[in-house]
């Protein structure tokens, strides 16, 4: 293998990440044969339903500003496969990734053969991906790795790490066919990332979710810090290009007002959670130095989260893909952008609650254009239109099978306004769709993304 693209092509030959297997031992076995790279560095591990990637990026940025060499593993990617593996804030180089992949070839052959002999399926895409990340980070080497859980927690492939800090973003209903029908069951699975004697840092949670987290923490002898109880976002104000926040950390320190260059009140909550997680990682006795906080937050980005990818007309993209995320998006969009009318361009994957997503977005919409995500898991745009009858009563709905056509229609409409009126376009409903829109904006030379 010589390029990241070739590594990705090889991984795509395995069972996809949308179909995880509830098992952990084959992943542990693969890592052991590769030298247990996941034990080469301390880890902050992040689980939850919404906000995982943004919180992971905030934790990584703060740790990097503290002078640590960081590894960041997130999923899925928006445009480029190498986005999933970041070293010191930049996507990994193709040669580095290919070298790490080469190290895994013999271990993969051995474990695949063992699994076949036992009547089980081979190592999956995400199982191999996680061990690839750990191998690349060990080779770098990094001082600390921030690891986003893929799905669930207890049996997720990332859970072979020995994380000293377990972070939980808000837990809501998602992937119910795999994780369970209610928040308590889902939270119990996610709480499986808590390791003995670690520190747990949690966002404010549904009572059932918090109970599951605290039960798991008690069982492992881990201390629990909860947002709103042990640390808090004291104030959050809209600012030009983002938020101005006041945070009281778990150390009791009231930080100076800090600028966060991200849109949405939910991002302020994510950053407060990240600050507490970094405090816990650094020992929990002293606050994060103010200069580290300012640098870490100043360099923070969160691609695909209320990201402006075009102007004249304005096009905003967001990766919200479940009702909880869509509700947060709707609140943040109204607060952060001032449009008289908005065209929604929406595509959703089949395992998602499409009606819930559309209903949460309905208050934003003047016009709705439904499209099909470029994925075998996508809900066909015509089927999405049938579901929209329930979710978007009274709103006119159009169908454009291809995203480029949907974007053309939305942008043409948004460009036609009366004097003093403003129109915008919001593209959302899927991480994959968000990535498609970003890539299309680059190809078309919109000059923003």
């Amino acid at each position: 293998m010589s390029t990241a693209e070739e590594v990705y092509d090889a991984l795509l030959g395995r069972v996809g990440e949308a179909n995880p297997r509830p098992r952990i031992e084959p992943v542990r076995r693969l890592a052991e044969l590769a030298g247990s790279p996941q034990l080469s560095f301390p880890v902050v591990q992040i689980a939850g339903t919404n906000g995982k990637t943004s919180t992971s990026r905030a934790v990584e940025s703060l740790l990097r500003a503290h002078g640590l060499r960081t590894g960041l593993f997130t999923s899925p990617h928006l445009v480029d496969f190498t986005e999933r593996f970041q070293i010191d804030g930049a996507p990994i180089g193709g040669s580095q990734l290919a070298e790490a992949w080469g190290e895994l070839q013999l271990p993969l052959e051995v474990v695949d053969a063992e699994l076949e002999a036992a009547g089980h399926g081979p190592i999956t895409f995400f199982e191999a991906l996680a061990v690839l990340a750990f191998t690349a980070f060990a080779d770098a080497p990094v001082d600390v790795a921030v690891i986003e859980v893929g799905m669930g927690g207890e049996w997720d492939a990332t859970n072979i790490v020995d994380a000293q800090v377990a972070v939980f973003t808000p837990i809501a209903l998602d992937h119910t066919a795999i994780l369970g029908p209610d928040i308590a069951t889902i939270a119990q699975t996610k709480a499986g990332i808590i390791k003995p004697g670690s520190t747990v840092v949690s966002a404010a949670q549904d009572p059932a979710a918090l109970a599951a987290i605290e039960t798991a923490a008690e069982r492992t002898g881990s201390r629990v810090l909860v947002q709103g109880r042990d640390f808090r976002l004291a104030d959050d104000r809209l600012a030009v290009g983002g938020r101005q926040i006041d945070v009281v950390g778990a150390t009791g320190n009231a930080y100076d007002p800090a600028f966060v260059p991200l849109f949405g009140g939910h991002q302020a909550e994510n950053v407060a959670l990240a600050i507490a997680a970094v405090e816990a990682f650094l020992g929990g006795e002293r606050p994060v130095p103010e200069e580290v906080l300012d640098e870490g937050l100043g360099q923070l980005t969160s691609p695909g989260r209320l990201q402006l990818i075009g102007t004249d007309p304005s096009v905003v993209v967001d990766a919200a893909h479940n009702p909880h995320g869509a509700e947060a998006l709707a609140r943040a969009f109204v607060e952060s952008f001032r449009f008289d009318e908005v065209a929604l361009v929406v595509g959703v994957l089949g395992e998602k609650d499409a009606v819930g997503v559309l209903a949460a977005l309905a208050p934003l919409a003047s016009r709705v254009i439904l499209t099909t995500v470029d994925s075998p898991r996508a809900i066909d745009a015509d089927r999405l239109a049938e579901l929209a009858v329930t979710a978007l009563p009274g709103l006119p709905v159009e169908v454009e099978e291809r995203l480029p056509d949907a974007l053309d229609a939305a942008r043409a409409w948004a460009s036609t306004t009366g004097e003093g009126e403003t129109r915008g376009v919001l593209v959302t409903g899927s991480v994959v769709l968000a990535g498609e829109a970003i890539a299309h904006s680059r190809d078309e030379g919109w000059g923003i993304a």
Side-chain angles (χ1 to χ4, degrees):
M1 291 296 173
S2 59
T3 67
E5 185 176 352
E6 289 173 311
V7 174
Y8 188 43
D9 287 343
L11 282 163
L12 287 176
R14 295 178 175 272
V15 172
E17 59 192 315
N19 299 288
R21 293 188 169 131
R23 63 186 190 182
I24 194 75
E25 288 311 314
V27 190
R28 201 181 308 279
R29 171 70 171 151
L30 176 63
E32 285 173 355
L33 291 175
S36 296
Q38 79 280 9
L39 303 181
S40 301
F41 39 77
V43 170
V44 177
Q45 190 176 15
I46 298 170
T49 303
N50 292 302
K52 287 188 298 182
T53 300
S54 294
T55 303
S56 297
R57 292 180 70 93
V59 170
E60 182 279 331
S61 189
L62 289 167
L63 290 173
R64 177 157 41 94
H66 202 272
L68 298 173
R69 183 167 168 80
T70 57
L72 173 65
F73 177 60
T74 59
S75 291
H77 61 277
L78 285 165
V79 179
D80 299 313
F81 175 57
T82 54
E83 294 169 18
R84 297 176 183 243
F85 321 84
Q86 304 227 354
I87 295 174
D88 262 352
I92 192 170
S95 60
Q96 288 176 281
L97 192 63
E99 185 176 335
W101 180 243
E103 295 175 46
L104 290 184
Q105 294 315 292
L106 183 56
L108 279 167
E109 288 180 22
V110 171
V111 178
D112 282 345
E114 291 175 348
L115 289 168
E116 183 180 9
H120 302 303
I123 290 291
T124 68
F125 174 102
F126 192 74
E127 289 170 342
L129 192 77
V131 180
L132 176 60
F134 303 148
T135 301
F137 293 161
D139 288 348
V142 300
D143 299 319
V144 56
V146 180
I147 305 296
E148 178 187 342
V149 172
M151 188 184 297
E154 181 179 7
W155 42 258
D156 186 77
T158 64
N159 204 31
I160 62 172
V161 299
D162 185 16
Q164 65 187 68
V165 180
V167 182
F168 294 93
T169 66
I171 296 172
L173 295 176
D174 200 11
H175 301 293
T176 51
I178 297 170
L179 299 180
D182 53 62
I183 287 177
T185 305
I186 292 171
Q188 185 175 351
T189 299
K190 292 182 184 292
I193 71 168
I194 300 173
K195 305 302 190 299
S198 62
T199 300
V200 176
V201 184
S202 176
Q205 300 285 0
D206 179 284
L210 184 58
I213 291 169
E214 291 188 317
T215 296
E218 183 177 359
R219 187 169 57 246
T220 57
S222 302
R223 70 171 182 146
V224 182
L225 302 171
V226 181
Q227 193 161 349
R229 184 186 74 189
D230 304 295
F231 62 95
R232 69 184 191 277
L233 179 64
D235 198 12
D236 167 35
R237 304 170 297 283
L238 186 66
V240 176
R243 322 289 305 178
Q244 191 83 10
I245 65 171
D246 296 341
V247 173
V248 178
T251 60
N253 178 68
Y255 290 95
D256 291 341
F259 176 69
V260 178
L262 304 177
F263 294 112
H266 60 295
Q267 293 289 19
E269 300 284 353
N270 291 339
V271 167
L273 181 63
I275 290 170
V278 171
E279 287 179 332
F281 178 80
L282 296 176
E285 303 300 323
R286 291 175 296 179
V288 177
E290 292 287 352
E291 63 273 17
V292 170
L293 191 69
D294 289 342
E295 180 182 344
L297 297 183
Q299 67 191 5
L300 178 59
T301 62
S302 194
R305 277 73 184 175
L306 277 176
Q307 180 181 355
L308 186 68
I309 62 170
T311 57
D312 196 25
S314 295
V315 181
V316 179
V317 67
D318 194 274
H321 55 268
N322 55 44
H324 184 271
E327 289 164 8
L329 163 61
R331 290 192 299 271
F333 186 84
V334 169
E335 183 181 30
S336 303
F337 298 96
R338 295 286 184 263
F339 299 116
D340 296 309
E341 294 184 301
V342 175
L344 289 180
V345 176
V346 183
V348 185
L349 296 183
E351 69 270 18
K352 301 297 182 179
D353 178 1
V355 171
V357 169
L358 289 169
L361 297 171
L364 301 177
S366 305
R367 179 177 182 179
V368 180
I369 303 173
L370 303 177
T371 191
T372 304
V373 181
D374 185 14
S375 167
R377 297 152 49 203
I379 298 177
D380 180 78
D382 289 324
R383 172 58 181 153
L384 197 55
E386 294 173 6
L387 297 174
V389 172
T390 301
L392 304 171
L395 275 174
V397 172
E398 305 160 51
V399 170
E400 290 286 356
E401 190 67 28
R402 298 175 59 253
L403 177 63
D405 295 334
L407 288 172
D408 285 347
R411 293 178 76 242
W413 172 83
S415 298
T416 307
T417 60
E419 187 175 349
E421 291 182 332
T422 58
R423 287 177 171 178
V425 178
L426 173 61
V427 186
T428 190
S430 161
V431 177
V432 180
L433 188 75
E436 281 186 76
I438 293 169
H440 181 73
S441 74
R442 291 175 181 173
D443 291 344
E444 293 297 303
W446 294 357
I448 299 292

